[in-house]
Amino acid sequence: MKMKTVVASLGFVLALVVTVAAAGPAKSDSGNSAPVAAAAPAPAAAPAPAMPPSPLFDRLTTQPDVIYLIANSSVVFGPDPHGRSEEITFIGPVTVPKWPMPGYGRRMLPDGRQQIDIELTQSELTGESYMLGGPIVLGEHPDLRSLGTITERPVEKDAVVGSAAQPGQAHFLLASAKSVDQDGDASADSTQQKTIHENSQKLGAILDKLSKPRLSSTQRSSQFKEMKPSVEQLINDVAKIQPNNPSAEEVPADFVVSRKVLLTTAKGILYNETAVPVRGRIDSIPPVKFQSTPEGVNVFRGMELPVALLDKEGNVNGWFYSKAHMAYAVLPAAVERSYITGSVELKSGDKTESVQVSGPAEIHHMKAPGSSDKTSAEVMMLALRGHSDLLGGDIMVAETFSDRDHFSRGELNWNGTNADSKFDLYVDVYTPSSKLSNREPLDLAGAFVDCKINGHLEKGKLNLPLVGGKAQFAANSARVLYDESEKPVIEVSKLQLNLTERM
């Protein structure tokens, strides 16, 4: 049982009782009861629609959101869908116009849920391809739109909050309350189940009184005085119940967009005419994923893959592959875009090799550098290229993309604009024959020097401070690299990295 739903449900009923008791039933010209007018929205918000209120949609404005997206897509270059794929990490801003902007709708579905239209436009996502040996820009096709919707979650979960301020809807509230009562966790103990059931019954009795159509304003006001303490007590009683899964969260909406993109590569342009359906559950608009966001929320995954990528002549020359297609929006306190040079020492049997590597990196600071004695940061992207005889040719060291099981995070201990730091680094090493990864993180230790904010990434609502500086890191603990069949291939015995500001 998810306690937040029950508390929110009862809180909404209390608000509904206050509204009805204060206003009484409005009369139409014919003398029949008519819906009570909704309160005027804030000046920046959209005009109130002729439908029940929605906590998720009513506060949206006519300015498009701009999100900072990190995405990871598995791509096959060439016409053969069974060719070798690589996972490319893309990062950058994406503009998301939506209702109530002109051309985007808001509607009520037959089951009582509300839905709005959205679109992804003006993507400025950049990534690095090992297979193509250079950068890729993921943008929007000028003629193929990426349209989608955000839809309230099914009524069994949370329709009590989102769907019932209209007169005559008390029976719907009651049904929703009963569904909440029945939506219990299998592991909930009998005491919790009993309390939930009793409060659901009390809620039903309150709603039965509220739904009587012939009450005068005076009678409603009198009943309100009686109901208010009861509802408040119900809220307090339910709030005291400790859920069996404290991390469980109700998620108010489903997100889906039919994604069509244009990839600009060193070997030409690729685009998809067949849309990739991208789906996710979101708890806010814009749907930013923070470290505290519950697992699986505000994460978007591509479905129905593979999808063909066409070149400018319309021929199939690539594929969005099914191995990976995931994205989420982030909102760091600052972004550090660095250029890295360094060396990787590889060991295989009695052979040792030092490989010189270099390339771009992006580090996200969770708090502004130097804003407190200790802050945290995460390596979000690496693309360090070099040549290894032991691994058979050109290689690229990339950060291992993940949303759930391993993260290249670290802590920084500040002294002015300098900081000592330690990071756990997870990498994928692309080689001519395979992709290798470390199970245990590389333990990086070093220092940032003269790290300060020297600019901003500004686009629409988005304003991200950009950090510049220098850093040196080293890892001397050996880590084995495994291929995708979990076979150990080679050992990283040392790693040295030098960071400078990326221009």
Side-chain angles (χ1 to χ4, degrees):
M1 177 64 194
K2 297 179 179 178
M3 297 300 126
K4 285 183 67 177
T5 300
V6 180
V7 176
S9 302
L10 295 174
F12 180 78
V13 172
L14 177 58
L16 181 61
V17 171
V18 172
T19 301
V20 174
K27 294 290 183 177
S28 66
D29 292 340
S30 63
N32 296 324
S33 296
V36 178
M51 59 181 64
S54 168
L56 196 63
F57 299 149
D58 289 348
R59 293 173 291 178
L60 300 181
T61 71
T62 55
Q63 184 178 4
D65 289 319
V66 180
I67 59 175
Y68 198 66
L69 195 72
I70 175 169
N72 186 259
S73 294
S74 183
V75 183
V76 174
F77 294 105
D80 183 4
H82 303 293
R84 181 181 176 183
S85 67
E86 66 170 316
E87 287 71 65
I88 301 176
T89 296
F90 295 94
I91 300 181
V94 179
T95 301
V96 188
K98 61 189 182 308
W99 181 91
M101 295 177 63
Y104 302 92
R106 175 175 173 177
R107 65 193 63 86
M108 178 78 75
L109 301 182
D111 60 5
R113 293 178 295 155
Q114 294 185 47
Q115 182 182 79
I116 64 169
D117 296 328
I118 64 169
E119 185 174 4
L120 304 189
T121 65
Q122 300 178 33
S123 297
E124 301 172 19
L125 303 170
T126 58
E128 297 282 339
S129 167
Y130 168 74
M131 301 293 291
L132 299 184
I136 293 180
V137 177
L138 188 155
E140 305 299 328
H141 194 289
D143 302 318
L144 303 174
R145 302 173 67 185
S146 294
L147 300 171
T149 58
I150 296 176
T151 309
E152 291 177 333
R153 295 282 286 169
V155 295
E156 290 79 13
K157 296 289 184 184
D158 53 17
V160 177
V161 177
S163 301
Q166 299 181 84
Q169 291 298 309
H171 66 283
F172 179 74
L173 275 168
L174 178 57
S176 300
K178 290 179 178 177
S179 72
V180 169
D181 179 36
Q182 296 166 358
D183 187 33
D185 221 314
S187 61
D189 60 39
S190 59
T191 301
Q192 291 185 7
Q193 293 282 18
K194 181 179 179 181
T195 302
I196 294 167
H197 178 75
E198 290 176 351
N199 282 291
S200 178
Q201 297 299 312
K202 293 175 184 178
L203 175 61
I206 291 173
L207 293 173
D208 285 341
K209 290 183 179 181
L210 184 66
S211 65
K212 291 181 179 179
R214 298 180 180 177
L215 295 177
S216 67
S217 295
T218 302
Q219 290 172 319
R220 286 180 184 274
S221 178
S222 176
Q223 284 207 355
F224 164 68
K225 292 179 181 179
E226 297 177 9
M227 293 177 182
K228 182 179 177 182
S230 299
V231 175
E232 289 176 339
Q233 186 59 49
L234 292 178
I235 294 173
N236 291 334
D237 290 346
V238 175
K240 293 176 182 178
I241 301 174
Q242 295 297 319
N244 291 310
N245 181 9
S247 64
E249 297 283 346
E250 284 294 348
V251 183
D254 290 315
F255 171 101
V256 62
V257 67
S258 297
R259 194 71 173 107
K260 299 176 183 178
V261 302
L262 188 147
L263 295 173
T264 302
T265 79
K267 296 186 178 181
I269 289 175
L270 297 172
Y271 66 95
N272 60 309
E273 285 186 334
T274 302
V276 176
V278 178
R279 304 178 184 274
R281 297 179 300 143
I282 67 173
D283 63 4
S284 63
I285 301 175
V288 177
K289 181 181 181 297
F290 298 99
Q291 290 187 15
S292 59
T293 301
E295 184 176 301
V297 178
N298 297 344
V299 175
F300 314 115
R301 299 181 184 276
M303 318 290 285
E304 301 174 21
L305 298 167
V307 165
L309 294 171
L310 310 180
D311 60 23
K312 61 181 181 180
E313 284 80 30
N315 301 314
V316 175
N317 202 18
W319 298 84
F320 273 132
Y321 193 54
S322 56
K323 184 183 294 185
H325 199 89
M326 180 175 66
Y328 52 84
V330 294
L331 191 62
V335 172
E336 182 165 0
R337 294 173 172 176
S338 299
Y339 188 81
I340 294 179
T341 60
S343 63
V344 181
E345 186 174 277
L346 301 175
K347 185 176 181 181
S348 177
D350 58 355
K351 297 180 179 180
T352 300
E353 176 186 31
S354 181
V355 178
Q356 302 301 305
V357 295
S358 62
E362 181 161 314
I363 299 170
H364 288 187
H365 293 259
M366 302 302 108
K367 291 184 179 181
S371 60
S372 59
D373 292 342
K374 180 181 292 185
T375 62
S376 60
E378 181 174 351
V379 179
M380 303 299 286
M381 187 277 290
L382 282 177
L384 310 182
R385 292 182 170 87
H387 183 90
S388 168
D389 292 333
L390 285 179
L391 292 176
D394 292 340
I395 66 170
M396 187 175 83
V397 180
E399 199 279 329
T400 302
F401 184 95
S402 176
D403 76 315
R404 63 178 66 188
D405 50 5
H406 45 251
F407 304 93
S408 297
R409 292 174 178 164
E411 291 188 342
L412 297 85
N413 298 295
W414 291 94
N415 180 13
T417 59
N418 302 334
D420 294 326
S421 181
K422 292 184 178 180
F423 277 80
D424 291 338
L425 181 63
Y426 291 90
V427 297
D428 293 329
V429 179
Y430 287 91
T431 79
S433 59
S434 61
K435 182 181 76 171
L436 311 177
S437 304
N438 55 319
R439 293 176 180 172
E440 298 297 322
L442 290 158
D443 300 322
L444 287 180
F448 284 91
V449 179
D450 196 24
C451 186
K452 56 189 176 183
I453 294 173
N454 57 11
H456 289 80
L457 171 63
E458 296 181 272
K459 188 174 180 63
K461 296 179 180 179
L462 188 68
N463 187 330
L464 292 178
L466 297 177
V467 173
K470 298 179 180 179
Q472 292 183 333
F473 285 92
N476 296 312
S477 55
R479 293 289 185 261
V480 176
L481 299 180
Y482 299 81
D483 65 17
E484 293 182 271
S485 66
E486 300 298 324
K487 177 183 176 181
V489 175
I490 204 165
E491 183 179 85
V492 175
S493 52
K494 292 182 181 180
L495 178 66
Q496 292 184 326
L497 301 177
N498 303 307
L499 286 68
T500 57
E501 185 177 354
R502 194 162 103 212
M503 303 304 291

